[in-house]
Amino acid sequence: MAEASNAEKTEPASQRRLDQARKDGDIPRSREVATFAVLMTAGAGLWMMGGGLVSKLSAVLERGLSLDREQVYNPAVLMERVTGDVGAVLLACLPLAAAVMLVMLAAPMLIGGWNFSAKAFLPNFGKMNPIRGIGNMVSTNALVELLKAVAKTLLVGAVAWFVVMSNKDAVIGLAAEPFGTAAPHLGSIIAKAFLTMVGALGAIAILDGPYQIWHYANKLKMTRQEVIQESKESDGNPQIKGKIRQLQREAARKRMMANVPNADVVVTNPTHFAVALKYGEGQRGAPRVVAKGTDEVAARIREIAKENKVTLLEAPALARALYKHTDIDDEIPEALYSAVAEVLAYVYQLRAYSKGSTDQYPDRPNKLPVPPEMDPFNPASQNPGQDANPGNPH
């Protein structure tokens, strides 16, 4: 069977595959729905306009069969008469033809919508493959089309027989009616019979529409491998993307490490956290975080700071708070202004002592004012409503 290869296609078609199929001119279509819509419009038009249309056409026919001497012997006058009669016929049929044409253009919107694809006009030599043609002949879709054809034949044939038999007396009675009355009556009978038989096709159309949508979706299903391959083509290979992200992180880390030699101080935990701060003279705003890291990154920050004689200060709570609540190039939080101010004051005093501007070695700051809720290791940061002092029942 031609569809045997679809057994492993279990994934629904992606939007990319649907767009590509539409671009190639492959969209769901139901000939039964379109045919039913057009024929029903024609039948309804005949039902509503049939009497007047037959009367107008009968009048044109009657005029066409009566010729005067001038029309017989003057071809120019005859052609003018014929042209007028043809125009009258076209004008009489115009409303019905316009309605049918409008529905014919709108019918594709019911299933699949309008679509124009230049690729559909290109020759496809694959369709000339006899093996593929034989496969299509014994496919499930071919079987469905055969069943539809048989069903339409039986259904329309049965309805036509019923219509003919139910209107037998009326058709025979037309012979006894005057022509002026019989013509509209005949048009009414034909329109009624036409609508009844077309209505029978509606049952086929109701079943065929959903089937064509299902068949189209099933035809475009994808295997798991196709989904993975398309994802790689659309979003990039995950391994390559991971490598790119790794390179980006390494580049960002190198840029961060390049800022450490210019820092004023590196606040440490002392081993697990390290945060480098910078506050230049004349700088507006608060001090900024120029580098931060944990474990191996923190060790590298401390190593670079020692190599470039940047002050290292052990302040575990402050280091943890800065790491938790800031990103690279962020200003420090307002809640840490006082603690960082004491640190920078110590750094400036230490520089003055190193230059010999003062004989007094500065005291290392202790018990920096870090709010308990800023320290991620402090229980108060996990339960802000709880008092930082566990001994206080309030």
Side-chain angles (χ1 to χ4, degrees):
M1 300 291 284
E3 277 81 0
S5 59
N6 293 339
E8 58 184 8
K9 296 184 177 183
T10 58
E11 304 299 320
S14 64
Q15 187 59 46
R16 180 184 177 187
R17 188 175 186 123
L18 292 174
D19 293 341
Q20 183 60 43
R22 191 172 189 86
K23 184 178 179 181
D24 295 342
D26 185 7
I27 56 177
R29 281 283 185 255
S30 174
R31 289 194 297 269
E32 310 305 328
V33 172
T35 301
F36 170 74
V38 172
L39 292 179
M40 182 58 71
T41 301
L46 286 174
W47 177 263
M48 293 184 292
M49 299 179 288
L53 180 61
V54 171
S55 297
K56 292 178 181 178
L57 294 179
S58 299
V60 172
L61 179 61
E62 185 177 351
R63 288 199 309 270
L65 294 177
S66 58
L67 301 176
D68 55 29
R69 181 181 179 83
E70 184 179 7
Q71 292 171 353
V72 172
Y73 291 100
N74 191 337
V77 176
L78 180 61
M79 287 302 301
E80 182 179 353
R81 171 68 180 277
V82 171
T83 303
D85 290 344
V86 172
V89 171
L90 294 177
L91 187 62
C93 297
L94 181 61
L96 179 61
V100 172
M101 182 65 68
L102 182 62
V103 173
M104 186 182 300
L105 294 175
M109 295 296 296
L110 297 175
I111 298 179
W114 287 331
N115 185 54
F116 178 81
S117 173
K119 192 172 182 179
F121 293 96
L122 299 177
N124 186 355
F125 297 102
K127 294 182 178 180
M128 301 176 63
N129 187 342
I131 298 178
R132 181 178 176 182
I134 294 174
N136 291 334
M137 291 176 61
V138 296
S139 65
T140 303
N141 190 52
L143 178 60
V144 171
E145 292 297 326
L146 175 62
L147 292 177
K148 284 195 303 182
V150 173
K152 283 191 293 184
T153 301
L154 295 177
L155 186 60
V156 174
V159 172
W161 174 258
F162 172 77
V163 170
V164 169
M165 295 307 295
S166 61
N167 290 277
K168 179 178 62 175
D169 295 337
V171 173
I172 294 175
L174 290 174
E177 297 182 14
F179 181 78
T181 305
H185 190 190
L186 176 62
S188 176
I189 293 175
I190 293 175
K192 185 187 298 183
F194 185 81
L195 277 177
T196 305
M197 288 186 287
V198 171
L201 293 177
I204 305 296
I206 290 174
L207 297 177
D208 186 62
Y211 168 76
Q212 293 298 338
I213 296 175
W214 172 85
H215 175 70
Y216 180 77
N218 190 62
K219 179 179 67 174
L220 293 184
K221 276 186 175 181
M222 307 168 67
T223 64
R224 183 63 181 169
Q225 184 60 35
E226 287 175 334
V227 173
I228 295 173
Q229 183 63 31
E230 184 177 285
S231 178
K232 289 181 179 180
E233 295 175 357
S234 301
D235 304 329
N237 192 311
Q239 295 179 349
I240 296 177
K241 290 176 66 178
K243 185 64 176 179
I244 291 174
R245 285 194 295 266
Q246 179 183 352
L247 293 175
Q248 290 173 340
R249 286 194 297 267
E250 291 177 357
R253 183 178 300 174
K254 289 180 180 179
R255 289 194 299 269
M256 181 184 72
M257 293 301 183
N259 295 328
V260 175
N262 300 320
D264 292 314
V265 64
V266 174
V267 184
T268 66
N269 191 37
T271 57
H272 295 296
F273 292 87
V275 180
L277 301 176
K278 174 69 176 176
Y279 186 71
E281 295 182 4
Q283 175 181 326
R284 293 184 178 181
R288 292 182 177 274
V289 174
V290 295
K292 71 172 188 175
T294 60
D295 300 327
E296 294 180 0
V297 177
R300 181 58 182 159
I301 292 174
R302 292 194 302 271
E303 181 181 343
I304 295 175
K306 291 178 181 178
E307 293 173 355
N308 292 273
K309 299 181 180 180
V310 177
T311 303
L312 291 169
L313 177 67
E314 292 185 12
L318 179 59
R320 295 190 296 261
L322 287 170
Y323 183 87
K324 173 69 175 179
H325 299 286
T326 60
D327 287 323
I328 304 299
D329 205 36
D330 280 356
E331 292 186 354
I332 64 171
E334 186 175 353
L336 300 177
Y337 280 1
S338 297
V340 173
E342 290 190 25
V343 171
L344 292 177
Y346 167 73
V347 171
Y348 296 149
Q349 291 171 9
L350 190 60
R351 288 179 183 175
Y353 176 80
S354 299
K355 294 178 181 180
S357 301
T358 179
D359 296 332
Q360 184 178 1
Y361 189 88
D363 296 329
R364 183 180 293 270
N366 295 315
K367 296 183 179 180
L368 294 171
V370 178
E373 65 274 10
M374 298 290 288
D375 184 359
F377 285 9
N378 193 303
S381 66
Q382 305 297 326
N383 301 284
Q386 178 180 337
D387 196 298
N389 185 359
N392 187 347
H394 302 289

